[in-house]
C-alpha cells in the first residue's frame, strides 16, 4: 500500500491480500501444524512452528503501519514479552553489554537476571534526561522504552539512536505505549521497533500478542530464528483476531488520546492529585521532546493520590473504569501500581488507561470517584 494514504485508510486495509472472486476480504485463520510438502521444501509454508499464512497477513499489516510505503520485516510472537526476549536473546552473547532503562516495564528486571546469568553485562539508567547516553561505550544493544511504563518519561530517540550508531550499538525501542500510529521508532533511527500488541494495537483486552519490526533483513532473520527455536508463536486465531482489530486502530486511538487529555486536564485541577504525568499536557516535563517525535501521546496517564487507602477508595468508587492491569483497551482501566511490588512508585500511584467511552461520562465518573475517595 502507498505510504501516501491516510492512517485510517492504512489501518483498515493493511495486510489484506489481493482480492479473489468469491473469497473473503480477510481470509480466515489457518489452523495447520503441517502442510502438503512433496519434493524439496522450497515453499513458504512447511511446518506450523515456522510460518503460517495468517501470521503472514498480520505481519504485512503491522509492517505497513510501522513504515508506510517501505520494505520492512515484521515477526509476530505469542506475547509482548516473547517479542522483547527475542530481540535481547537473539542479539546478545556472553561478554556483550546491553543498556536498559531502570524505570521500564516491571518484567525487565527478570530479563536482567537471566541476561546476567548468561554472562551479559547489564547497564541501566533512567529514561528521562536521555541518561542512557552515558552508558553506550562498548555496548552491543541499547534498549529504550518511551514513553516509559508506568512513569511516562520520554527520551529523545533520534539523539540516542544517532549516538548509539556512532558507537556501533544496535538500537531497540519498546513502542507499546505509543503504537505505530503514535510514534514510528524506525523513522527515528531504531533498528528494532518492538511492542506488546496485547495493549493498544489490538485494543480489546482479549489477545496476548507481540511483534518486532526491522528494516534490516539480517536482523529480522535472527529474531525469526529465535522464534522458531523457542516456539514462541501466536495461535492462528489470535493472529486473525489481531489483524481484524487493526482496522479500528486509528478510530480507537483518536478517542482514547482525546479522553486521556481531557482526564489529564481534569486531574490537574484537583488538589489531592500530585505527580500528574501525560506527555500531551503542555506542562508535562516530557512534552517538548514528545511533541517532536510523537504524533499522538497515548491513552495512559499516571498520577499519585495521598496514600494507599485513598487510592483504593478512588478505584473502588469508579463505575465506568475496571480495576485491572494492562492498558490500551476500549474500556478504561486503572490500578494502584504499587500492589505488584515491581515498580519504584509511591503507594498511591495510579496508572490510568483511557478507553473509548464518551469523554464527558468518563471525566464525570473520575471526578465523582475522587470526591468520594476524599470523604
Amino acid at each position: 500500500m502507498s505510504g501516501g494514504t491516510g492512517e485510517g485508510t492504512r489501518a483498515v486495509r493493511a495486510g489484506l491480500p489481493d482480492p479473489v472472486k468469491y473469497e473473503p476480504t480477510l481470509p480466515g485463520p489457518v489452523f495447520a501444524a503441517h502442510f502438503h510438502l512433496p519434493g524439496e521444501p522450497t515453499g513458504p509454508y512447511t511446518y506450523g512452528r515456522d510460518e503460517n499464512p495468517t501470521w503472514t497477513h498480520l505481519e504485512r499489516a503491522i509492517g505497513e503501519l510501522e513504515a508506510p510505503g517501505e520494505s520492512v520485516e515484521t515477526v509476530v510472537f505469542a506475547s509482548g514479552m516473547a517479542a522483547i526476549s527475542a530481540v535481547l536473546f537473539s542479539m546478545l552473547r556472553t561478554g556483550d553489554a546491553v543498556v536498559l532503562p531502570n524505570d521500564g516495564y516491571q518484567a525487565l528486571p527478570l530479563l536482567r537476571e537471566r541476561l546476567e546469568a548468561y554472562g551479559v553485562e547489564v547497564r541501566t539508567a533512567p529514561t528521562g534526561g536521555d541518561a542512557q547516553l552515558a552508558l553506550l561505550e562498548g555496548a552491543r544493544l541499547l534498549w529504550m522504552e518511551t514513553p516509559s511504563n508506568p512513569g511516562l518519561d520520554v527520551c529523545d530517540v533520534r539523539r540516542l539512536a544517532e549516538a548509539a550508531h556512532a558507537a556501533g550499538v544496535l538500537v531497540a525501542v519498546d513502542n507499546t505505549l505509543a503504537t505505530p500510529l503514535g510514534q514510528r521508532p524506525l523513522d527515528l533511527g531504531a533498528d528494532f521497533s518492538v511492542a506488546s500488541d496485547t495493549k493498544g494495537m489490538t485494543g480489546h483486552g482479549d489477545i496476548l500478542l507481540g511483534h518486532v519490526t526491522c528494516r534490516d533483513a539480517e536482523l529480522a532473520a535472527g529474531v525469526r530464528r529465535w522464534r522458531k527455536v523457542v516456539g514462541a508463536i501466536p495461535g492462528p486465531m489470535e493472529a486473525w483476531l489481531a489483524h481484524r482489530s487493526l482496522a479500528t486502530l486509528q478510530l480507537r486511538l483518536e478517542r482514547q488520546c482525546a479522553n486521556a487529555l481531557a482526564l489529564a486536564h481534569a486531574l490537574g485541577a484537583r488538589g489531592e492529585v500530585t505527580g500528574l504525568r501525560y506527555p500531551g499536557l503542555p506542562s508535562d516535563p516530557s512534552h517538548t521532546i514528545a511533541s517532536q517525535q510523537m504524533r499522538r501521546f497515548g491513552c495512559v496517564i499516571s498520577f499519585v493520590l495521598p496514600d494507599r487507602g485513598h487510592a483504593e477508595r478512588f478505584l473502588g468508587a469508579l463505575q465506568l473504569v475496571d480495576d485491572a492491569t494492562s492498558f490500551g483497551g476500549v474500556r478504561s482501566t486503572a490500578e494502584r501500581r504499587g500492589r505488584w511490588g515491581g515498580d519504584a512508585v509511591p503507594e498511591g500511584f495510579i496508572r490510568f488507561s483511557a478507553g473509548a467511552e464518551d469523554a464527558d461520562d468518563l471525566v464525570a465518573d473520575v471526578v465523582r470517584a475522587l470526591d468520594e475517595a476524599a470523604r
Side-chain angles (χ1 to χ4, degrees):
M1 189 188 304
S2 168
T5 56
E7 288 181 330
T9 303
R10 284 199 301 276
V12 167
R13 301 205 61 82
L16 297 182
D18 292 335
V20 176
K21 192 174 183 178
Y22 306 127
E23 293 293 325
T25 305
L26 177 61
V30 175
F31 298 98
H34 58 265
F35 301 82
H36 287 297
L37 198 63
E40 294 300 314
T42 57
Y45 305 109
T46 58
Y47 186 64
R49 192 180 69 253
D50 299 340
E51 293 293 345
N52 179 291
T54 310
W55 305 350
T56 300
H57 294 314
L58 175 60
E59 289 173 343
R60 288 174 181 167
I62 293 173
E64 289 174 17
L65 299 178
E66 287 276 10
E70 299 184 43
S71 177
V72 295
E73 292 199 28
T74 295
V75 187
V76 291
F77 289 87
S79 68
M81 280 304 298
I84 291 168
S85 298
V87 174
L88 292 171
F89 290 109
S90 68
M91 295 297 128
L92 297 170
R93 303 287 184 271
T94 300
D96 287 342
V98 61
V99 180
L100 301 178
N102 64 10
D103 54 352
Y105 181 51
Q106 64 170 334
L108 285 180
L110 300 177
L111 284 172
R112 175 177 184 164
E113 290 177 10
R114 196 51 23 213
L115 289 166
E116 290 178 335
Y118 293 151
V120 175
E121 177 190 352
V122 179
R123 308 168 184 172
T124 64
T127 297
D130 297 342
Q132 291 172 297
L133 277 173
L135 305 179
L136 293 176
E137 185 176 354
R140 164 69 174 161
L141 175 68
L142 165 64
W143 185 276
M144 290 178 259
E145 183 181 302
T146 180
S148 62
N149 172 27
L152 302 183
D153 265 326
V154 171
C155 59
D156 188 332
V157 177
R158 286 188 187 91
R159 181 188 182 200
L160 283 160
E162 288 175 3
H165 288 153
V169 181
L170 292 169
V171 176
V173 174
D174 185 331
N175 200 40
T176 299
L177 216 146
T179 83
L181 296 195
Q183 179 173 263
R184 293 186 197 147
L186 299 183
D187 288 350
L188 298 172
D191 300 295
F192 304 91
S193 179
V194 188
S196 168
D197 301 320
T198 307
K199 314 296 195 301
M201 282 286 275
T202 56
H204 292 79
D206 54 6
I207 302 170
L208 288 173
L209 204 79
H211 81 267
V212 179
T213 300
C214 310
R215 281 200 178 95
D216 188 306
E218 185 176 346
L219 294 178
V223 171
R224 196 177 300 274
R225 189 162 48 249
W226 180 261
R227 180 181 68 180
K228 176 179 179 177
V229 169
V230 301
I233 59 172
M237 191 66 193
E238 286 77 8
W240 185 87
L241 287 169
H243 197 166
R244 180 209 60 175
S245 298
L246 289 182
T248 60
L249 177 58
Q250 192 251 16
L251 295 171
R252 289 185 278 108
L253 283 181
E254 285 292 314
R255 173 64 72 88
Q256 290 170 292
C257 293
N259 282 354
L261 184 60
L263 281 168
H265 283 301
L267 289 164
R270 302 288 302 204
E272 73 271 41
V273 171
T274 59
L276 175 65
R277 296 299 305 270
Y278 182 64
L281 281 175
S283 59
D284 189 270
S286 294
H287 182 72
T288 298
I289 295 173
S291 297
Q292 294 168 0
Q293 64 190 27
M294 300 182 74
R295 300 189 312 285
R296 293 179 177 85
F297 299 106
C299 64
V300 178
I301 311 158
S302 66
F303 58 96
V304 181
L305 292 174
D307 53 43
R308 174 176 178 167
H310 198 123
E312 291 179 347
R313 290 194 302 275
F314 164 69
L315 293 170
L318 291 166
Q319 295 177 354
L320 299 180
V321 182
D322 296 330
D323 189 339
T325 195
S326 198
F327 56 85
V330 290
R331 289 175 290 278
S332 292
T333 59
E335 70 170 336
R336 191 182 66 81
R337 197 64 190 158
R339 65 182 176 177
W340 297 103
D343 298 307
V345 295
E347 283 292 309
F349 182 97
I350 301 291
R351 185 182 69 184
F352 194 109
S353 174
E357 299 87 357
D358 288 311
D360 289 346
D361 294 336
L362 188 56
V363 170
D365 189 45
V366 168
V367 170
R368 180 194 50 75
L370 286 170
D371 290 340
E372 289 190 17
R375 290 174 188 161

